[in-house]
Amino acid sequence: MLALDRVSKTYPNGVEALARFSAEIRVGEIIAIIGGSGCGKSTLLRAIAGLDRASSGTVTLDHEAISSPHAKIGIIFQEPRLLPWLSVADNIGFGLADLPAISRREKVARALERVGLTEKAQAWPRELSGGQAQRVAIARALVPQPEVLLLDEPFSALDAFTRRDLQDHLLDLWADTRPTLILVTHDVDEAVVLADRVLVMRPRPGRLFDQIEINLGRPRDRNSPLFENFKRSVLTSLDRSLDRNVPDRDATQGPGHAMWW
Amino acid sequence: MISDAPVLQRSSEPAESAAAPSRLSRYARPVLGLLLPLTLALGWELVVWLGWSNGRLVPPPSRIFTTITDLTHSGELVRHIAATLWRVGLGFAFGVIAGTLLGAISGYWSLARRLLDPTVQALRAIPSLAWVPLFILWLGIFETSKIALIAVGVFFPVYLGVMGAILSVDRKIVEVGRVFRLSGFGMIRRILLPAVLPAYVVSLRVGLGLGWMFVVAAELIGASEGLGYLLLDGQQLGKPAQILAAIVTFAILGKLTDWLIEIAAAPFLRWQDAFGQAKGA
Ligand SMILES: Nc1ncnc2c1ncn2[C@@H]1O[C@H](COP(=O)(O)OP(=O)(O)O)[C@@H](O)[C@H]1O
Ligand SMILES: [Mg+2]
């Protein structure tokens, strides 16, 4: 279990990016974090990844405090961040350097097949489309079998069609080993398609505003009325998070709010 | 001085019209480039052959060629080439070693950069040939001062290239290394070195170019052998064909050694846009 206990981050320039963020995330749960730009989503994710230390508060994975990058935690960024001097296959195997070459090659081959890029194994990253590159990044992060996978707006640079394709693909890959997923997004549709639970944040300082359980089976039909309902709840909550007159933790969702939309 | 850096970073040529003319231009371009010098050379050859000029000050290509073959047969040319190559080689090696080490230190540790870089930049502002009298006083007029001068010429572009390359390594890529928990050594080997390599190769080529420039200066100042000596000797004895023969040899050697660096680096830079394709102009 991943536990965030009053995680706060104040940058050296005095910006209070994150204030007392607490949450408990179950193994295998898919969390979407949504909120306006600058409300501390990336800051939170980087603290969980151990890339930046929190100013106060703790992140613990199975009771182990996280303060630097951890073998069980993977992260995917908005950009694929592939190493341009390595082939697609070598990029995917980047995190497996400790493994003997044979089992590494085996795992890479399986991952390539899983993301449908087998014929691109020897291509250079610059020869890939944006969607293909991000699939390689996903494969690279998943191949060491992390228990927690963090994704910071992973699909936001892609066109709508590719984005949908990758959302479905991500769920498919997730089903293989069911890691915990924490996905930052600003796309309500994406949050509702993927998440078991949507956390809504509000800015200045960045903090948790609301949680919405998405009690929908999978695969989810983007056009069902139930799906629309959940989307509306998230949108309403998001809208209220931006309204300064709404106090924190006043987030009882009623049909009344939905009327706004 | 550094302006004539080989342009390696060019991101793929501007798409060369369509499919049909691209074949023509691939072969036509170098040929077109050769047209002017070849025409001039042949023209001059003809002018001298017809007796319209005696070609004493500007010898025709055939006479330059004869000079080169004569020098080759007498073993003179090989001796001069060996002397010059030796100087360039040593000066280049020292310059590259010093430039790489100091450049890496300055790029990697910001404290070292703050200590070191202002001094290096100040020294760089001095035209390198201004060192010549001092080097001769300190190191004598023989090999050491020549090699030192060449090394100084090579040092600056390599230092700047290495430092700049390290400083401009994409932090986002470095973060990938952190996510995969690379050690300091692993980070250098698997992230920094490959990231820095293209700029490093460019700086080596610029450095080598300067090395060739400075060997001429060093040998003109005083030498009993070397291609630069051949130049000076040709001037003093009024043998323009010998001067031109030396110049042609310089050009060939310069191009050849530059090409060696390119060939040696090519396997490591295949991932780059500019290599493999778009290598025309
Ligand atoms: N390295 C940094 N130094 C100073 N301020 C930062 C830094 N990174 C982010 N911030 C500030 O912290 C706040 C939250 O940023 P971020 O976590 O990137 O938000 P989000 O990802 O939700 O858009 C913003 O106000 C941003 O300007
Ligand atoms: Mg962000």
Side-chain angles (χ1 to χ4, degrees):
Chain A
M1 189 186 67
L2 185 69
L4 311 178
D5 185 20
R6 289 163 288 176
V7 179
S8 310
K9 174 80 184 183
T10 304
Y11 281 106
N13 63 1
V15 174
E16 201 179 354
L18 201 60
R20 302 172 64 80
F21 190 106
S22 296
E24 301 211 325
I25 297 162
R26 295 185 300 276
V27 174
E29 195 175 7
I30 303 183
I31 299 284
I33 297 176
I34 201 163
S37 145
C39 67
K41 305 183 294 292
S42 296
T43 304
L44 176 67
L45 224 55
R46 294 176 61 84
I48 300 173
L51 285 172
D52 291 331
R53 295 188 88 133
S55 314
S56 68
T58 54
V59 177
T60 50
L61 176 62
D62 301 330
H63 309 294
E64 187 182 351
I66 304 294
S67 59
S68 61
H70 193 284
K72 291 180 182 170
I73 303 179
I75 185 165
I76 295 169
F77 300 95
Q78 183 174 349
E79 330 79 28
R81 301 199 187 182
L82 303 182
L83 307 179
W85 53 83
L86 293 183
S87 68
V88 165
D90 288 342
N91 262 288
I92 292 179
F94 189 77
L96 303 177
D98 298 337
L99 256 55
I102 301 168
S103 53
R104 183 169 65 227
R105 221 171 301 140
E106 232 166 61
K107 285 190 178 215
V108 169
R110 210 174 316 136
L112 274 165
E113 200 182 307
R114 210 61 194 85
V115 293
L117 289 172
T118 302
E119 73 280 18
K120 293 278 184 193
Q122 294 313 316
W124 300 113
R126 66 178 158 85
E127 295 167 328
L128 303 178
S129 70
Q132 289 172 335
Q134 198 59 306
R135 272 193 273 167
V136 174
I138 293 172
R140 179 177 66 185
L142 280 175
V143 98
Q145 302 200 334
E147 288 176 17
V148 177
L149 182 62
L150 310 169
L151 304 100
D152 194 352
E153 306 194 17
F155 309 136
S156 64
L158 305 173
D159 62 87
F161 180 79
T162 311
R163 193 181 311 159
R164 278 197 172 194
D165 187 38
L166 280 192
Q167 286 162 359
D168 296 341
H169 203 76
L170 178 67
L171 272 184
D172 204 28
L173 294 172
W174 169 80
D176 288 351
T177 54
R178 298 197 169 235
T180 306
L181 292 191
I182 304 179
L183 167 94
V184 165
T185 178
H186 54 230
D187 180 350
V188 174
D189 202 78
E190 183 167 289
V192 178
V193 167
L194 297 176
D196 299 314
R197 182 154 53 119
V198 177
L199 307 186
V200 180
M201 289 181 70
R202 89 190 303 193
R204 277 177 296 275
R207 58 205 190 275
L208 185 61
F209 174 68
D210 195 7
Q211 305 199 24
I212 298 155
E213 298 272 350
I214 311 289
N215 297 312
L216 278 174
R218 293 199 175 90
R220 291 174 181 171
D221 176 5
R222 286 182 170 88
N223 299 314
S224 73
L226 219 53
F227 189 88
E228 282 300 319
N229 267 348
F230 278 112
K231 254 174 84 173
R232 214 166 288 145
S233 317
V234 174
L235 274 169
T236 308
S237 173
L238 201 55
D239 199 60
R240 286 163 58 75
S241 78
L242 297 173
D243 183 347
R244 284 160 190 274
N245 297 321
V246 179
D248 280 7
R249 295 284 174 189
D250 168 70
T252 37
Q253 293 298 310
H257 300 307
M259 300 264 288
W260 280 43
W261 297 89
Chain B
M1 257 184 189
I2 305 199
S3 63
D4 57 351
V7 191
L8 294 184
Q9 307 282 45
R10 181 180 38 212
S11 58
S12 72
E13 301 272 85
E16 204 132 310
S17 39
S22 81
R23 189 168 183 199
L24 179 93
S25 63
R26 166 172 296 178
Y27 300 105
R29 219 170 13 177
V31 173
L32 280 180
L34 284 175
L35 206 58
L36 183 66
L38 279 182
T39 313
L40 284 178
L42 283 176
W44 188 243
E45 188 74 50
L46 200 68
V47 165
V48 176
W49 186 69
L50 290 172
W52 294 349
S53 163
N54 62 16
R56 196 180 302 149
L57 282 181
V58 185
S62 62
R63 211 175 297 161
I64 298 170
F65 186 73
T66 317
T67 310
I68 292 179
T69 46
D70 285 352
L71 283 170
T72 312
H73 286 312
S74 68
E76 287 280 279
L77 193 64
V78 175
R79 186 166 65 87
H80 293 303
I81 287 178
T84 299
L85 270 182
W86 170 249
R87 289 172 187 140
V88 173
L90 270 186
F92 183 69
F94 285 125
V96 165
I97 291 169
T100 305
L101 279 178
L102 291 184
I105 290 171
S106 284
Y108 205 79
W109 286 291
S110 53
L111 179 65
R113 179 165 61 255
R114 268 177 230 126
L115 282 172
L116 197 64
D117 196 50
T119 310
V120 175
Q121 297 292 350
L123 290 176
R124 191 169 75 96
I126 302 168
S128 304
L129 291 182
W131 292 110
V132 168
L134 208 54
F135 281 175
I136 290 177
L137 270 185
W138 285 347
L139 307 169
I141 57 164
F142 299 111
E143 294 306 302
T144 321
S145 62
K146 293 185 179 61
I147 289 164
L149 181 66
I150 296 164
V152 166
V154 173
F155 170 81
F156 288 106
V158 173
Y159 169 84
L160 289 177
V162 170
M163 185 182 73
I166 292 177
L167 286 178
S168 62
V169 169
D170 189 355
R171 293 190 49 83
K172 293 182 166 179
I173 295 265
V174 174
E175 216 163 68
V176 171
R178 287 187 58 207
V179 168
F180 286 104
R181 301 183 335 284
L182 294 186
S183 61
F185 178 69
M187 189 72 100
I188 290 174
R189 188 173 62 85
R190 300 182 66 195
I191 304 274
L192 288 182
L193 279 185
V196 157
L197 196 63
Y200 187 54
V201 172
V202 172
S203 73
L204 287 185
R205 293 175 69 179
V206 177
L208 185 66
L210 284 172
W212 280 108
M213 204 158 103
F214 279 59
V215 81
V216 177
E219 291 180 343
L220 282 180
I221 288 157
S224 54
E225 55 181 2
L227 291 169
Y229 163 79
L230 215 52
L231 288 174
L232 199 64
D233 185 61
Q235 180 218 323
Q236 284 164 351
L237 301 181
K239 293 194 283 193
Q242 183 180 319
I243 297 180
L244 284 167
I247 287 177
V248 168
T249 313
F250 265 127
I252 292 171
L253 286 179
K255 189 73 200 162
L256 216 62
T257 46
D258 181 62
W259 180 73
L260 278 180
I261 295 184
E262 198 185 323
I263 293 291
F268 304 102
L269 298 180
R270 267 185 307 136
W271 54 274
Q272 269 204 321
D273 272 328
F275 277 85
Q277 41 176 298
K279 204 76 223 311

